[in-house]
């Protein structure tokens, strides 16, 4: 059956499945699994992404999962850094060979032209076996074997060719520094899947982001050419159409919420997957606002008002004070919403900048 679905219904469906209409009372591990992965190019955004979706979430909830190996941080979806569950990584990482390979070729293909990449991967494995190396240390060791090559390109290439984990404290709240590499098989104690299936990924994506089209799934995952896969899975899925007539797929048991469902103010971190999970992002923000949020490879932290991206935010800290600066794209004229922006902003500061004096400043961007 083909049913037409409004943009606002798609918005409410996405927010409900992301626990943004109401915070979920779930363990952090369950939410990581439900979302498939949390974008983790920087250490803090995964914590903020869980905080905005879970009731009672604390920093230790995610840090503990990283240390006890229940979740791992590595290059996964779109070939970018994510936190995923240890149970998902062994099949999800091999499924991303295509996106990882394209990213490596685009960035370092010229520097590694003519090299035997299997030989490079084997050398990386040999160097990492039984120990953890930072990327700079791996670079230096690879330079000894290939002194005439760009060693930085070699180290980055190994990261895409060999499944590695960035073990904690890397990736924990507030921690920066050189990225450590540990062989994933050694960290997890299991082998990577030899034949991962996109069939395992499609229902997981739809459960957290659906209804969605083929191009949306490809944008979120980084995979290409999934039209035949969705066509093969069609009998197991429900089909909708959006306001433009584009085809959308969903799980047959998934319900669509009332488009009038109220949504509280929510703060999303930089690179949140909700903002980048669709080719057509108008269910979350207008095309004009997208140009302000997604600039080059950067995706700004965003604030949702009535479920749509209405502005961006950032926190400036010194030793004693933390200031949350919210810049809206248009003024908020409703007094209750304005008060809610400040109230939710203060909650964010209590989580992200505990022990400091807090100040929330809401302004409107100059057009």
């Amino acid at each position: 059956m083909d049913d037409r679905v409004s943009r606002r219904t798609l918005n409410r469906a996405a927010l409900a499945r992301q626990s943004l209409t109401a915070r979920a009372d779930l363990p952090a591990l369950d939410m990581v699994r439900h979302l498939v992965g949390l974008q983790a190019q920087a250490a803090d955004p995964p914590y903020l992404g869980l905080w905005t979706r879970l009731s009672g979430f604390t920093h230790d909830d995610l840090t503990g999962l990283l240390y006890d190996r229940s979740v791992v941080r590595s290059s996964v979806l779109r070939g970018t850094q994510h936190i995923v569950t240890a149970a998902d990584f062994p099949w999800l990482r091999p499924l991303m060979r295509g996106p990882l390979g394209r990213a490596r070729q685009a960035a370092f293909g010229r520097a590694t032209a003519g090299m035997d990449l299997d030989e490079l991967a084997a050398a990386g494995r040999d160097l990492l076996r039984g120990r953890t190396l930072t990327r700079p240390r791996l670079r230096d060791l690879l330079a000894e074997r290939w002194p005439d090559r760009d060693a930085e390109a070699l180290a980055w290439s190994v990261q895409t060719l060999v499944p590695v984990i960035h073990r904690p404290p890397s990736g924990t709240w507030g921690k920066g520094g050189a990225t450590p590499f540990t062989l994933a098989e050694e960290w997890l104690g299991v082998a990577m899947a030899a034949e991962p299936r996109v069939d395992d990924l499609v229902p997981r994506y739809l459960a957290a982001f659906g209804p969605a089209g083929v191009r949306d799934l490809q944008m979120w995952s980084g995979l290409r050419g999934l039209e035949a896969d969705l066509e093969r899975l069609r009998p197991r899925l429900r089909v909708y159409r959006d306001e433009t007539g584009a085809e959308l797929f969903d799980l047959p048991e998934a319900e669509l919420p009332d488009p009038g469902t109220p949504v509280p103010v929510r703060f999303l971190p930089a690179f949140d997957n909700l903002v980048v999970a669709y080719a057509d992002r108008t269910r979350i923000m207008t095309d004009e606002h997208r140009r302000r949020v997604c600039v080059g490879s950067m995706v700004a932290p965003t604030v949702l008002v009535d479920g749509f991206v209405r502005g961006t935010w950032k926190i400036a800290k010194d030793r004693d004070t933390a200031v949350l600066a919210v810049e809206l794209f248009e003024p908020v004229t409703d007094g209750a919403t304005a008060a809610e922006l400040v109230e939710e902003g203060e909650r964010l500061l209590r989580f992200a900048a505990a022990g400091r004096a807090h100040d929330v400043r809401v302004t409107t961007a100059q057009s």
Side-chain angles (χ1 to χ4, degrees):
M1 182 195 314
D2 288 356
D3 295 321
R4 192 76 58 158
V5 182
S6 71
R7 182 173 290 114
R8 192 172 181 88
T9 298
L10 292 175
N11 171 269
R12 283 346 194 217
L15 297 177
R17 296 181 196 190
Q18 295 275 316
S19 295
L20 292 168
T21 52
R23 284 184 168 94
D25 185 16
L26 289 174
L29 181 62
D30 290 354
M31 182 57 72
V32 175
R33 184 188 184 282
H34 173 67
L35 298 175
V36 187
L38 293 161
Q39 180 80 290
Q41 288 171 255
D44 294 353
Y47 288 82
L48 296 167
L50 290 173
W51 167 83
T52 206
R53 291 172 168 90
L54 294 174
S55 59
F57 175 76
T58 70
H59 298 86
D60 288 344
D61 292 336
L62 180 55
T63 299
L65 295 177
L66 286 162
Y67 272 101
D68 72 16
R69 310 189 190 195
S70 297
V71 303
V72 294
R73 180 170 173 256
S74 183
S75 299
V76 197
L77 297 168
R78 301 183 297 279
T80 59
Q81 297 291 317
H82 277 73
I83 286 176
V84 302
T85 69
D88 284 336
F89 185 83
W91 66 267
L92 190 54
R93 173 59 169 76
L95 194 61
M96 294 298 140
R97 289 191 189 104
L100 285 161
R102 289 192 298 272
R104 194 211 69 79
Q105 183 63 25
F108 308 111
R110 183 174 299 178
T112 58
M115 290 192 70
D116 183 330
L117 296 181
D118 290 338
E119 181 184 2
L120 175 58
R125 284 183 179 276
D126 288 343
L127 290 170
L128 289 167
R129 191 164 288 115
R131 61 177 174 174
T132 297
L133 298 174
T134 63
R135 187 184 292 117
R137 181 58 181 149
L138 178 62
R139 174 201 63 199
D140 294 344
L141 292 171
L142 291 168
E144 295 176 6
R145 179 162 178 172
W146 287 283
D148 297 329
R149 291 285 185 170
D150 179 343
E152 199 73 40
L154 300 184
W156 277 96
S157 292
V158 167
Q159 180 176 343
T160 66
L161 296 168
V162 178
V164 294
I165 298 300
H166 309 313
R167 61 185 299 169
S170 177
T172 59
W173 180 263
K175 298 294 185 183
T179 304
F181 292 171
T182 299
L183 290 175
E185 292 95 334
E186 293 184 350
W187 183 253
L188 295 174
V190 297
M192 299 297 102
E195 297 181 1
R197 302 189 320 144
V198 73
D199 295 32
D200 297 326
L201 186 64
V202 172
R204 297 284 298 279
Y205 169 69
L206 294 176
F209 297 93
V214 177
R215 292 177 63 243
D216 298 320
L217 174 60
Q218 293 180 157
M219 176 65 70
W220 169 79
S221 66
L223 298 171
R224 293 179 178 176
L226 298 182
E227 292 84 359
D229 295 285
L230 267 295
E231 193 60 36
R232 175 170 44 78
L233 293 171
R234 181 184 292 269
R236 295 160 48 185
L237 302 174
R238 183 166 184 177
V239 180
Y240 296 98
R241 293 190 181 273
D242 68 15
E243 292 176 350
T244 71
E247 195 171 57
L248 305 174
F249 296 92
D250 204 7
L251 300 177
E253 69 275 14
E255 297 183 0
L256 297 183
D258 185 328
T261 302
V263 178
V265 168
R266 289 288 184 253
F267 288 90
L268 299 180
F271 297 102
D272 193 275
N273 272 340
L274 178 63
V275 178
V276 299
Y278 306 101
D280 178 1
R281 301 180 193 177
T282 55
R283 75 178 69 190
I284 298 297
M285 57 187 163
T286 66
D287 289 335
E288 177 187 354
H289 293 166
R290 176 177 178 169
R291 287 189 287 271
R292 298 192 194 188
V293 170
C294 306
V295 181
S297 61
M298 301 303 295
V299 180
T302 54
V303 57
L304 304 182
V305 178
D306 188 33
F308 292 87
V309 172
R310 303 296 191 191
T312 60
W313 62 270
K314 60 183 177 181
I315 296 176
K317 302 177 188 176
D318 60 26
R319 188 175 64 181
D320 302 314
T321 305
V323 177
L324 171 63
V326 181
E327 186 176 64
L328 300 176
F329 299 140
E330 293 97 13
V332 169
T333 56
D334 178 71
T337 301
E340 188 182 358
L341 271 167
V342 174
E343 182 180 357
E344 185 67 6
E346 289 174 344
R347 289 196 194 99
L348 173 59
L349 287 174
R350 287 195 293 272
F351 177 81
R356 295 175 173 87
H358 296 159
D359 187 12
V360 179
R361 301 174 185 175
V362 180
T363 61
T364 302
Q366 298 296 317
S367 58

